[in-house]
Amino acid sequence: MILGGTAEARQLASILTTAGHDVVSSLAGRVHNPFLPPGRVRVGGFGGVDGLISYLRTSGISTVVDATHPFAVQMSSHAAAAADLTGIPLVRLERPGWSNHSRADSWSWVPDAAAARAAAERASRPFLTSGRQSLQAFQSWVDRPVLARVVDRPEIPLPPNWTLLTSRGPYSYAGERQIMIDHSIDLLITKDSGGSYTAAKLDAAHDLDIEVVIIARPTRPKTARVENIEQAMAWLRRSDEATMPRTS
Ligand code: NAP
C-alpha cells in the first residue's frame, strides 16, 4: 500500500502497477478533484492507528510506503505506530527539502504557521502559499491585501480584501514572477515542501528582492527512509527478498 497525496506516490504506483505488482494507493480525500494514481485506489481516513491496523490486516497488505506530503505528519505517525504493532515493513519516501537550496540562508526559517505570521507581520502585500490548512493562522490579517494560493477553496471565510488563487503546480519561473509583479508582492510565505513543482517561486522572489518566510518541516517518526523513486524501488526489492519464504 502506498500512502499518497503526492506526485512521488503517483509515480511509484505507476511503476509498480506497470511491473505487475498489486498496489493500492490510499488518499485522504481532502482534494476535490485529485490526480488519481494508476492501480487500485482507496479514499478516506482509516480511523486512527486501530483503523489502519485493521485495514492492513483485512486487506492482506505486505508492505507500506508512506509517500504522504512532508507536512502530513499525523498520517506518518499512525503508519509508524501501525508498522511497529503489526511488524509490516514500512518505508518513508520523502523528497529532500529546500534547506540546501542556494538561497536558503537568506530566508527566515520558522517552526509553524503562527511563527510565520509573526515573522511576516511587516509585509504589506504578502503572497501566502503555505497551504489551505495554514490559512487560519493568517485570517486576522484584515488590514492588508493578501494573495493566497491554494488547491481547493478553504472552508473558512477570508477577509474581503484578500485575493484567492485556486490552482496546483507545477509552476513556472515566468508565471511566478508575473504573479508577484502583478500583485506588488513584498513577502512570500511558503513551507519547506521541497521538490521542483513549486520551487520556481523561490527564485522569482529572490530576483525581485522579495523576502521569504519559510515554515520548516515537522519532526517525523523514526522509520526507514528513502528520498526518491529509485531508492524506494531498491528498498522494496530488498524487503521483498527478506520476507520471501526460503526453500533452502
Ligand atoms: P495528516 O494531518 O497527516 O493526517 C490527518 C488524517 O488524515 C490522518 O490521521 C488520516 O486519518 C487521514 N489521512 C492523511 N493522509 C491519508 C492518506 N494518504 N490516506 C488515508 N488517510 C489519510 O494529513 P494532511 O496534512 O491533512 O494531508 C492529507 C493528505 O494530503 C495526505 O495524503 C498528504 O499527502 C496530502 N497533502 C498534504 C499536504 C500538506 O501540506 N499537509 C500538501 C499536499 C498534499 P485517520 O486518522 O482517520 O486514518
mmCIF file of all heavy atoms in Angstrom, residues 80-132:
data_model
loop_
_atom_site.group_PDB
_atom_site.id
_atom_site.type_symbol
_atom_site.label_atom_id
_atom_site.label_comp_id
_atom_site.label_asym_id
_atom_site.label_seq_id
_atom_site.Cartn_x
_atom_site.Cartn_y
_atom_site.Cartn_z
ATOM 1 N N ALA A 80 3.745 4.682 11.306
ATOM 2 C CA ALA A 80 4.886 4.158 12.073
ATOM 3 C C ALA A 80 4.391 3.304 13.247
ATOM 4 O O ALA A 80 4.930 2.224 13.511
ATOM 5 C CB ALA A 80 5.741 5.318 12.570
ATOM 6 N N ALA A 81 3.349 3.784 13.921
ATOM 7 C CA ALA A 81 2.814 3.019 15.060
ATOM 8 C C ALA A 81 2.229 1.693 14.576
ATOM 9 O O ALA A 81 2.451 0.634 15.188
ATOM 10 C CB ALA A 81 1.743 3.850 15.784
ATOM 11 N N ALA A 82 1.497 1.730 13.469
ATOM 12 C CA ALA A 82 0.876 0.501 12.947
ATOM 13 C C ALA A 82 1.951 -0.493 12.496
ATOM 14 O O ALA A 82 1.807 -1.712 12.708
ATOM 15 C CB ALA A 82 -0.058 0.843 11.785
ATOM 16 N N ALA A 83 3.018 0.011 11.909
ATOM 17 C CA ALA A 83 4.101 -0.885 11.464
ATOM 18 C C ALA A 83 4.757 -1.548 12.673
ATOM 19 O O ALA A 83 5.043 -2.749 12.662
ATOM 20 C CB ALA A 83 5.130 -0.098 10.652
ATOM 21 N N ASP A 84 4.979 -0.769 13.738
ATOM 22 C CA ASP A 84 5.577 -1.332 14.967
ATOM 23 C C ASP A 84 4.696 -2.437 15.536
ATOM 24 O O ASP A 84 5.183 -3.473 15.969
ATOM 25 C CB ASP A 84 5.690 -0.229 16.038
ATOM 26 C CG ASP A 84 6.976 0.534 15.888
ATOM 27 O OD1 ASP A 84 7.809 0.118 15.070
ATOM 28 O OD2 ASP A 84 7.127 1.556 16.586
ATOM 29 N N LEU A 85 3.400 -2.174 15.547
ATOM 30 C CA LEU A 85 2.481 -3.116 16.206
ATOM 31 C C LEU A 85 2.187 -4.355 15.362
ATOM 32 O O LEU A 85 1.843 -5.400 15.913
ATOM 33 C CB LEU A 85 1.164 -2.393 16.567
ATOM 34 C CG LEU A 85 1.317 -1.346 17.682
ATOM 35 C CD1 LEU A 85 0.121 -0.404 17.725
ATOM 36 C CD2 LEU A 85 1.474 -2.040 19.030
ATOM 37 N N THR A 86 2.306 -4.250 14.056
ATOM 38 C CA THR A 86 1.978 -5.406 13.194
ATOM 39 C C THR A 86 3.228 -6.095 12.635
ATOM 40 O O THR A 86 3.140 -7.224 12.167
ATOM 41 C CB THR A 86 1.139 -4.963 11.969
ATOM 42 O OG1 THR A 86 1.896 -3.990 11.234
ATOM 43 C CG2 THR A 86 -0.198 -4.380 12.381
ATOM 44 N N GLY A 87 4.359 -5.400 12.644
ATOM 45 C CA GLY A 87 5.576 -5.961 12.032
ATOM 46 C C GLY A 87 5.578 -5.837 10.511
ATOM 47 O O GLY A 87 6.466 -6.352 9.841
ATOM 48 N N ILE A 88 4.583 -5.139 9.958
ATOM 49 C CA ILE A 88 4.550 -4.949 8.494
ATOM 50 C C ILE A 88 5.633 -3.928 8.117
ATOM 51 O O ILE A 88 5.705 -2.845 8.707
ATOM 52 C CB ILE A 88 3.148 -4.475 8.034
ATOM 53 C CG1 ILE A 88 2.132 -5.598 8.265
ATOM 54 C CG2 ILE A 88 3.160 -4.052 6.558
ATOM 55 C CD1 ILE A 88 0.695 -5.235 7.967
ATOM 56 N N PRO A 89 6.507 -4.277 7.150
ATOM 57 C CA PRO A 89 7.583 -3.350 6.777
ATOM 58 C C PRO A 89 7.035 -2.004 6.277
ATOM 59 O O PRO A 89 6.058 -1.975 5.527
ATOM 60 C CB PRO A 89 8.317 -4.082 5.647
ATOM 61 C CG PRO A 89 7.938 -5.515 5.782
ATOM 62 C CD PRO A 89 6.557 -5.536 6.388
ATOM 63 N N LEU A 90 7.697 -0.945 6.718
ATOM 64 C CA LEU A 90 7.287 0.417 6.346
ATOM 65 C C LEU A 90 8.512 1.204 5.902
ATOM 66 O O LEU A 90 9.558 1.142 6.551
ATOM 67 C CB LEU A 90 6.681 1.122 7.569
ATOM 68 C CG LEU A 90 6.499 2.646 7.473
ATOM 69 C CD1 LEU A 90 5.341 2.999 6.529
ATOM 70 C CD2 LEU A 90 6.248 3.251 8.860
ATOM 71 N N VAL A 91 8.357 1.932 4.805
ATOM 72 C CA VAL A 91 9.421 2.860 4.412
ATOM 73 C C VAL A 91 8.801 4.227 4.146
ATOM 74 O O VAL A 91 7.688 4.317 3.634
ATOM 75 C CB VAL A 91 10.203 2.346 3.176
ATOM 76 C CG1 VAL A 91 9.337 2.287 1.928
ATOM 77 C CG2 VAL A 91 11.444 3.193 2.919
ATOM 78 N N ARG A 92 9.527 5.243 4.535
ATOM 79 C CA ARG A 92 9.091 6.615 4.311
ATOM 80 C C ARG A 92 9.779 7.144 3.052
ATOM 81 O O ARG A 92 11.013 7.156 2.981
ATOM 82 C CB ARG A 92 9.475 7.459 5.531
ATOM 83 C CG ARG A 92 9.362 8.960 5.315
ATOM 84 C CD ARG A 92 7.941 9.427 5.379
ATOM 85 N NE ARG A 92 7.841 10.847 5.078
ATOM 86 C CZ ARG A 92 6.786 11.408 4.479
ATOM 87 N NH1 ARG A 92 5.745 10.690 4.119
ATOM 88 N NH2 ARG A 92 6.753 12.691 4.242
ATOM 89 N N LEU A 93 8.969 7.538 2.056
ATOM 90 C CA LEU A 93 9.512 8.156 0.835
ATOM 91 C C LEU A 93 9.292 9.658 0.950
ATOM 92 O O LEU A 93 8.143 10.114 0.928
ATOM 93 C CB LEU A 93 8.805 7.580 -0.399
ATOM 94 C CG LEU A 93 8.999 8.323 -1.733
ATOM 95 C CD1 LEU A 93 10.463 8.457 -2.104
ATOM 96 C CD2 LEU A 93 8.238 7.611 -2.853
ATOM 97 N N GLU A 94 10.366 10.396 1.112
ATOM 98 C CA GLU A 94 10.227 11.846 1.308
ATOM 99 C C GLU A 94 11.291 12.586 0.521
ATOM 100 O O GLU A 94 12.483 12.412 0.741
ATOM 101 C CB GLU A 94 10.359 12.179 2.802
ATOM 102 C CG GLU A 94 10.137 13.648 3.095
ATOM 103 C CD GLU A 94 10.023 13.940 4.590
ATOM 104 O OE1 GLU A 94 9.256 13.230 5.280
ATOM 105 O OE2 GLU A 94 10.696 14.863 5.049
ATOM 106 N N ARG A 95 10.837 13.429 -0.381
ATOM 107 C CA ARG A 95 11.764 14.229 -1.194
ATOM 108 C C ARG A 95 12.563 15.176 -0.280
ATOM 109 O O ARG A 95 12.033 15.632 0.753
ATOM 110 C CB ARG A 95 10.973 15.039 -2.212
ATOM 111 C CG ARG A 95 10.075 16.078 -1.571
ATOM 112 C CD ARG A 95 9.248 16.838 -2.584
ATOM 113 N NE ARG A 95 7.950 16.237 -2.783
ATOM 114 C CZ ARG A 95 6.777 16.874 -2.658
ATOM 115 N NH1 ARG A 95 6.758 18.156 -2.358
ATOM 116 N NH2 ARG A 95 5.642 16.256 -2.849
ATOM 117 N N PRO A 96 13.802 15.458 -0.643
ATOM 118 C CA PRO A 96 14.584 16.397 0.187
ATOM 119 C C PRO A 96 13.915 17.765 0.241
ATOM 120 O O PRO A 96 13.237 18.171 -0.706
ATOM 121 C CB PRO A 96 15.921 16.483 -0.554
ATOM 122 C CG PRO A 96 15.975 15.294 -1.450
ATOM 123 C CD PRO A 96 14.558 14.950 -1.798
ATOM 124 N N GLY A 97 14.115 18.452 1.345
ATOM 125 C CA GLY A 97 13.573 19.802 1.486
ATOM 126 C C GLY A 97 14.474 20.818 0.800
ATOM 127 O O GLY A 97 15.417 20.449 0.091
ATOM 128 N N TRP A 98 14.166 22.073 1.032
ATOM 129 C CA TRP A 98 14.908 23.151 0.383
ATOM 130 C C TRP A 98 16.007 23.729 1.276
ATOM 131 O O TRP A 98 16.522 24.810 0.996
ATOM 132 C CB TRP A 98 13.931 24.262 -0.036
ATOM 133 C CG TRP A 98 13.032 23.882 -1.175
ATOM 134 C CD1 TRP A 98 13.371 23.140 -2.274
ATOM 135 C CD2 TRP A 98 11.657 24.250 -1.354
ATOM 136 N NE1 TRP A 98 12.282 23.025 -3.118
ATOM 137 C CE2 TRP A 98 11.215 23.694 -2.579
ATOM 138 C CE3 TRP A 98 10.747 24.991 -0.598
ATOM 139 C CZ2 TRP A 98 9.913 23.861 -3.066
ATOM 140 C CZ3 TRP A 98 9.451 25.160 -1.076
ATOM 141 C CH2 TRP A 98 9.048 24.602 -2.304
ATOM 142 N N SER A 99 16.382 23.033 2.329
ATOM 143 C CA SER A 99 17.389 23.620 3.230
ATOM 144 C C SER A 99 18.747 23.738 2.550
ATOM 145 O O SER A 99 19.583 24.534 2.983
ATOM 146 C CB SER A 99 17.488 22.823 4.526
ATOM 147 O OG SER A 99 17.767 21.485 4.226
ATOM 148 N N ASN A 100 18.987 22.949 1.477
ATOM 149 C CA ASN A 100 20.253 23.074 0.746
ATOM 150 C C ASN A 100 20.120 23.946 -0.508
ATOM 151 O O ASN A 100 21.046 24.002 -1.323
ATOM 152 C CB ASN A 100 20.773 21.694 0.332
ATOM 153 C CG ASN A 100 21.228 20.905 1.536
ATOM 154 O OD1 ASN A 100 21.738 21.489 2.489
ATOM 155 N ND2 ASN A 100 21.007 19.607 1.521
ATOM 156 N N HIS A 101 18.993 24.578 -0.669
ATOM 157 C CA HIS A 101 18.783 25.486 -1.805
ATOM 158 C C HIS A 101 19.826 26.613 -1.718
ATOM 159 O O HIS A 101 20.185 27.042 -0.608
ATOM 160 C CB HIS A 101 17.358 26.048 -1.710
ATOM 161 C CG HIS A 101 16.903 26.798 -2.914
ATOM 162 N ND1 HIS A 101 17.324 28.081 -3.194
ATOM 163 C CD2 HIS A 101 16.052 26.463 -3.908
ATOM 164 C CE1 HIS A 101 16.739 28.501 -4.314
ATOM 165 N NE2 HIS A 101 15.969 27.532 -4.767
ATOM 166 N N SER A 102 20.287 27.084 -2.876
ATOM 167 C CA SER A 102 21.357 28.093 -2.852
ATOM 168 C C SER A 102 20.939 29.382 -2.136
ATOM 169 O O SER A 102 21.779 30.160 -1.699
ATOM 170 C CB SER A 102 21.803 28.404 -4.279
ATOM 171 O OG SER A 102 20.690 28.844 -5.023
ATOM 172 N N ARG A 103 19.624 29.618 -2.021
ATOM 173 C CA ARG A 103 19.176 30.853 -1.354
ATOM 174 C C ARG A 103 18.703 30.609 0.087
ATOM 175 O O ARG A 103 18.211 31.528 0.731
ATOM 176 C CB ARG A 103 17.995 31.462 -2.094
ATOM 177 C CG ARG A 103 18.019 31.278 -3.577
ATOM 178 C CD ARG A 103 18.241 32.595 -4.267
ATOM 179 N NE ARG A 103 18.073 32.436 -5.696
ATOM 180 C CZ ARG A 103 19.057 32.618 -6.563
ATOM 181 N NH1 ARG A 103 20.257 32.940 -6.151
ATOM 182 N NH2 ARG A 103 18.835 32.484 -7.852
ATOM 183 N N ALA A 104 18.803 29.389 0.566
ATOM 184 C CA ALA A 104 18.166 29.029 1.843
ATOM 185 C C ALA A 104 18.612 29.919 3.008
ATOM 186 O O ALA A 104 17.808 30.209 3.907
ATOM 187 C CB ALA A 104 18.436 27.565 2.165
ATOM 188 N N ASP A 105 19.884 30.361 2.974
ATOM 189 C CA ASP A 105 20.395 31.165 4.085
ATOM 190 C C ASP A 105 19.765 32.548 4.138
ATOM 191 O O ASP A 105 19.819 33.228 5.167
ATOM 192 C CB ASP A 105 21.921 31.337 3.961
ATOM 193 C CG ASP A 105 22.621 30.037 4.277
ATOM 194 O OD1 ASP A 105 21.948 29.116 4.776
ATOM 195 O OD2 ASP A 105 23.840 29.942 4.001
ATOM 196 N N SER A 106 19.179 32.972 3.034
ATOM 197 C CA SER A 106 18.597 34.324 3.025
ATOM 198 C C SER A 106 17.135 34.324 3.475
ATOM 199 O O SER A 106 16.514 35.375 3.587
ATOM 200 C CB SER A 106 18.698 34.926 1.612
ATOM 201 O OG SER A 106 17.882 34.193 0.717
ATOM 202 N N TRP A 107 16.559 33.156 3.710
ATOM 203 C CA TRP A 107 15.146 33.080 4.116
ATOM 204 C C TRP A 107 15.027 33.077 5.642
ATOM 205 O O TRP A 107 15.925 32.630 6.348
ATOM 206 C CB TRP A 107 14.504 31.796 3.582
ATOM 207 C CG TRP A 107 14.662 31.576 2.105
ATOM 208 C CD1 TRP A 107 14.798 32.524 1.133
ATOM 209 C CD2 TRP A 107 14.733 30.300 1.436
ATOM 210 N NE1 TRP A 107 14.935 31.918 -0.096
ATOM 211 C CE2 TRP A 107 14.900 30.564 0.055
ATOM 212 C CE3 TRP A 107 14.653 28.970 1.847
ATOM 213 C CZ2 TRP A 107 14.990 29.553 -0.899
ATOM 214 C CZ3 TRP A 107 14.752 27.961 0.908
ATOM 215 C CH2 TRP A 107 14.916 28.246 -0.453
ATOM 216 N N SER A 108 13.847 33.484 6.130
ATOM 217 C CA SER A 108 13.573 33.381 7.570
ATOM 218 C C SER A 108 12.885 32.042 7.813
ATOM 219 O O SER A 108 11.747 31.835 7.355
ATOM 220 C CB SER A 108 12.633 34.504 8.025
ATOM 221 O OG SER A 108 13.191 35.744 7.735
ATOM 222 N N TRP A 109 13.568 31.148 8.521
ATOM 223 C CA TRP A 109 13.016 29.812 8.803
ATOM 224 C C TRP A 109 12.244 29.872 10.118
ATOM 225 O O TRP A 109 12.748 30.378 11.123
ATOM 226 C CB TRP A 109 14.141 28.781 8.914
ATOM 227 C CG TRP A 109 14.768 28.477 7.595
ATOM 228 C CD1 TRP A 109 15.724 29.202 6.946
ATOM 229 C CD2 TRP A 109 14.459 27.373 6.733
ATOM 230 N NE1 TRP A 109 16.030 28.616 5.731
ATOM 231 C CE2 TRP A 109 15.279 27.489 5.585
ATOM 232 C CE3 TRP A 109 13.581 26.279 6.812
ATOM 233 C CZ2 TRP A 109 15.232 26.575 4.525
ATOM 234 C CZ3 TRP A 109 13.539 25.365 5.778
ATOM 235 C CH2 TRP A 109 14.355 25.519 4.647
ATOM 236 N N VAL A 110 11.015 29.353 10.100
ATOM 237 C CA VAL A 110 10.160 29.383 11.295
ATOM 238 C C VAL A 110 9.557 27.992 11.502
ATOM 239 O O VAL A 110 9.472 27.203 10.559
ATOM 240 C CB VAL A 110 9.034 30.438 11.147
ATOM 241 C CG1 VAL A 110 9.597 31.848 11.107
ATOM 242 C CG2 VAL A 110 8.192 30.167 9.903
ATOM 243 N N PRO A 111 9.118 27.682 12.737
ATOM 244 C CA PRO A 111 8.669 26.310 13.003
ATOM 245 C C PRO A 111 7.223 26.014 12.601
ATOM 246 O O PRO A 111 6.866 24.842 12.435
ATOM 247 C CB PRO A 111 8.827 26.163 14.520
ATOM 248 C CG PRO A 111 8.780 27.560 15.045
ATOM 249 C CD PRO A 111 9.312 28.453 13.974
ATOM 250 N N ASP A 112 6.385 27.014 12.488
ATOM 251 C CA ASP A 112 4.978 26.729 12.181
ATOM 252 C C ASP A 112 4.288 27.979 11.614
ATOM 253 O O ASP A 112 4.911 29.046 11.498
ATOM 254 C CB ASP A 112 4.230 26.216 13.428
ATOM 255 C CG ASP A 112 4.388 27.153 14.611
ATOM 256 O OD1 ASP A 112 4.470 28.380 14.382
ATOM 257 O OD2 ASP A 112 4.443 26.684 15.756
ATOM 258 N N ALA A 113 3.009 27.818 11.319
ATOM 259 C CA ALA A 113 2.278 28.915 10.662
ATOM 260 C C ALA A 113 2.157 30.134 11.570
ATOM 261 O O ALA A 113 2.240 31.274 11.102
ATOM 262 C CB ALA A 113 0.900 28.422 10.229
ATOM 263 N N ALA A 114 1.968 29.912 12.874
ATOM 264 C CA ALA A 114 1.844 31.049 13.795
ATOM 265 C C ALA A 114 3.139 31.860 13.799
ATOM 266 O O ALA A 114 3.123 33.102 13.781
ATOM 267 C CB ALA A 114 1.507 30.545 15.199
ATOM 268 N N ALA A 115 4.259 31.165 13.805
ATOM 269 C CA ALA A 115 5.559 31.857 13.783
ATOM 270 C C ALA A 115 5.777 32.540 12.435
ATOM 271 O O ALA A 115 6.401 33.607 12.362
ATOM 272 C CB ALA A 115 6.679 30.863 14.069
ATOM 273 N N ALA A 116 5.258 31.948 11.373
ATOM 274 C CA ALA A 116 5.374 32.574 10.046
ATOM 275 C C ALA A 116 4.623 33.894 10.034
ATOM 276 O O ALA A 116 5.092 34.902 9.518
ATOM 277 C CB ALA A 116 4.833 31.632 8.972
ATOM 278 N N ARG A 117 3.463 33.872 10.626
ATOM 279 C CA ARG A 117 2.664 35.100 10.675
ATOM 280 C C ARG A 117 3.422 36.192 11.432
ATOM 281 O O ARG A 117 3.497 37.342 10.987
ATOM 282 C CB ARG A 117 1.324 34.823 11.356
ATOM 283 C CG ARG A 117 0.378 35.988 11.180
ATOM 284 C CD ARG A 117 -0.590 36.105 12.296
ATOM 285 N NE ARG A 117 -0.695 37.510 12.617
ATOM 286 C CZ ARG A 117 -1.814 38.194 12.602
ATOM 287 N NH1 ARG A 117 -2.929 37.601 12.304
ATOM 288 N NH2 ARG A 117 -1.832 39.461 12.886
ATOM 289 N N ALA A 118 3.989 35.824 12.579
ATOM 290 C CA ALA A 118 4.737 36.811 13.374
ATOM 291 C C ALA A 118 5.936 37.340 12.579
ATOM 292 O O ALA A 118 6.193 38.541 12.560
ATOM 293 C CB ALA A 118 5.188 36.174 14.687
ATOM 294 N N ALA A 119 6.639 36.438 11.886
ATOM 295 C CA ALA A 119 7.836 36.849 11.143
ATOM 296 C C ALA A 119 7.484 37.708 9.938
ATOM 297 O O ALA A 119 8.312 38.469 9.442
ATOM 298 C CB ALA A 119 8.610 35.612 10.686
ATOM 299 N N ALA A 120 6.238 37.562 9.450
ATOM 300 C CA ALA A 120 5.835 38.273 8.228
ATOM 301 C C ALA A 120 4.971 39.497 8.536
ATOM 302 O O ALA A 120 4.418 40.109 7.623
ATOM 303 C CB ALA A 120 5.060 37.311 7.326
ATOM 304 N N GLU A 121 4.886 39.857 9.796
ATOM 305 C CA GLU A 121 3.965 40.933 10.211
ATOM 306 C C GLU A 121 4.218 42.236 9.447
ATOM 307 O O GLU A 121 3.303 42.990 9.142
ATOM 308 C CB GLU A 121 4.120 41.139 11.726
ATOM 309 C CG GLU A 121 2.958 41.820 12.401
ATOM 310 C CD GLU A 121 1.595 41.208 12.105
ATOM 311 O OE1 GLU A 121 1.429 39.991 12.293
ATOM 312 O OE2 GLU A 121 0.697 41.953 11.664
ATOM 313 N N ARG A 122 5.480 42.482 9.103
ATOM 314 C CA ARG A 122 5.820 43.759 8.437
ATOM 315 C C ARG A 122 5.388 43.801 6.969
ATOM 316 O O ARG A 122 5.433 44.850 6.336
ATOM 317 C CB ARG A 122 7.324 44.009 8.522
ATOM 318 C CG ARG A 122 8.137 42.941 7.815
ATOM 319 C CD ARG A 122 9.623 43.077 8.084
ATOM 320 N NE ARG A 122 10.362 41.890 7.666
ATOM 321 C CZ ARG A 122 10.478 40.786 8.376
ATOM 322 N NH1 ARG A 122 9.866 40.697 9.562
ATOM 323 N NH2 ARG A 122 11.159 39.746 7.930
ATOM 324 N N ALA A 123 4.970 42.667 6.419
ATOM 325 C CA ALA A 123 4.612 42.629 4.986
ATOM 326 C C ALA A 123 3.367 43.473 4.737
ATOM 327 O O ALA A 123 2.419 43.446 5.513
ATOM 328 C CB ALA A 123 4.342 41.194 4.568
ATOM 329 N N SER A 124 3.381 44.223 3.625
ATOM 330 C CA SER A 124 2.147 44.950 3.305
ATOM 331 C C SER A 124 1.356 44.236 2.211
ATOM 332 O O SER A 124 0.140 44.367 2.143
ATOM 333 C CB SER A 124 2.441 46.399 2.928
ATOM 334 O OG SER A 124 3.400 46.434 1.922
ATOM 335 N N ARG A 125 2.044 43.452 1.357
ATOM 336 C CA ARG A 125 1.325 42.688 0.326
ATOM 337 C C ARG A 125 1.919 41.275 0.266
ATOM 338 O O ARG A 125 2.696 40.940 -0.638
ATOM 339 C CB ARG A 125 1.445 43.383 -1.033
ATOM 340 C CG ARG A 125 0.838 44.799 -1.024
ATOM 341 C CD ARG A 125 0.873 45.411 -2.410
ATOM 342 N NE ARG A 125 -0.131 44.840 -3.276
ATOM 343 C CZ ARG A 125 -1.330 45.360 -3.492
ATOM 344 N NH1 ARG A 125 -1.679 46.471 -2.883
ATOM 345 N NH2 ARG A 125 -2.174 44.789 -4.317
ATOM 346 N N PRO A 126 1.554 40.429 1.229
ATOM 347 C CA PRO A 126 2.148 39.087 1.282
ATOM 348 C C PRO A 126 1.517 38.112 0.292
ATOM 349 O O PRO A 126 0.336 38.244 -0.049
ATOM 350 C CB PRO A 126 1.866 38.623 2.716
ATOM 351 C CG PRO A 126 0.767 39.492 3.215
ATOM 352 C CD PRO A 126 0.682 40.722 2.380
ATOM 353 N N PHE A 127 2.319 37.175 -0.145
ATOM 354 C CA PHE A 127 1.868 36.074 -1.018
ATOM 355 C C PHE A 127 1.939 34.814 -0.160
ATOM 356 O O PHE A 127 3.010 34.388 0.266
ATOM 357 C CB PHE A 127 2.807 35.974 -2.220
ATOM 358 C CG PHE A 127 2.420 34.953 -3.272
ATOM 359 C CD1 PHE A 127 1.153 34.381 -3.326
ATOM 360 C CD2 PHE A 127 3.355 34.575 -4.247
ATOM 361 C CE1 PHE A 127 0.817 33.462 -4.313
ATOM 362 C CE2 PHE A 127 3.029 33.662 -5.233
ATOM 363 C CZ PHE A 127 1.767 33.100 -5.271
ATOM 364 N N LEU A 128 0.763 34.247 0.101
ATOM 365 C CA LEU A 128 0.640 33.140 1.048
ATOM 366 C C LEU A 128 0.500 31.833 0.270
ATOM 367 O O LEU A 128 -0.516 31.610 -0.396
ATOM 368 C CB LEU A 128 -0.612 33.425 1.882
ATOM 369 C CG LEU A 128 -0.857 32.729 3.200
ATOM 370 C CD1 LEU A 128 0.366 32.742 4.076
ATOM 371 C CD2 LEU A 128 -2.016 33.452 3.899
ATOM 372 N N THR A 129 1.517 30.980 0.358
ATOM 373 C CA THR A 129 1.484 29.722 -0.406
ATOM 374 C C THR A 129 1.718 28.522 0.520
ATOM 375 O O THR A 129 2.207 27.491 0.081
ATOM 376 C CB THR A 129 2.565 29.724 -1.517
ATOM 377 O OG1 THR A 129 3.853 29.744 -0.895
ATOM 378 C CG2 THR A 129 2.431 30.905 -2.453
ATOM 379 N N SER A 130 1.370 28.697 1.797
ATOM 380 C CA SER A 130 1.677 27.637 2.765
ATOM 381 C C SER A 130 0.537 26.630 2.915
ATOM 382 O O SER A 130 0.574 25.782 3.809
ATOM 383 C CB SER A 130 2.049 28.255 4.113
ATOM 384 O OG SER A 130 1.115 29.248 4.474
ATOM 385 N N GLY A 131 -0.462 26.721 2.068
ATOM 386 C CA GLY A 131 -1.490 25.676 2.052
ATOM 387 C C GLY A 131 -2.766 26.060 2.784
ATOM 388 O O GLY A 131 -2.769 26.883 3.701
ATOM 389 N N ARG A 132 -3.854 25.381 2.364
ATOM 390 C CA ARG A 132 -5.177 25.689 2.899
ATOM 391 C C ARG A 132 -5.241 25.541 4.419
ATOM 392 O O ARG A 132 -5.863 26.331 5.112
ATOM 393 C CB ARG A 132 -6.184 24.737 2.225
ATOM 394 C CG ARG A 132 -7.612 25.033 2.516
ATOM 395 C CD ARG A 132 -8.528 24.121 1.746
ATOM 396 N NE ARG A 132 -8.094 22.737 1.777
ATOM 397 C CZ ARG A 132 -8.892 21.698 1.487
ATOM 398 N NH1 ARG A 132 -10.136 21.909 1.140
ATOM 399 N NH2 ARG A 132 -8.434 20.467 1.533
#
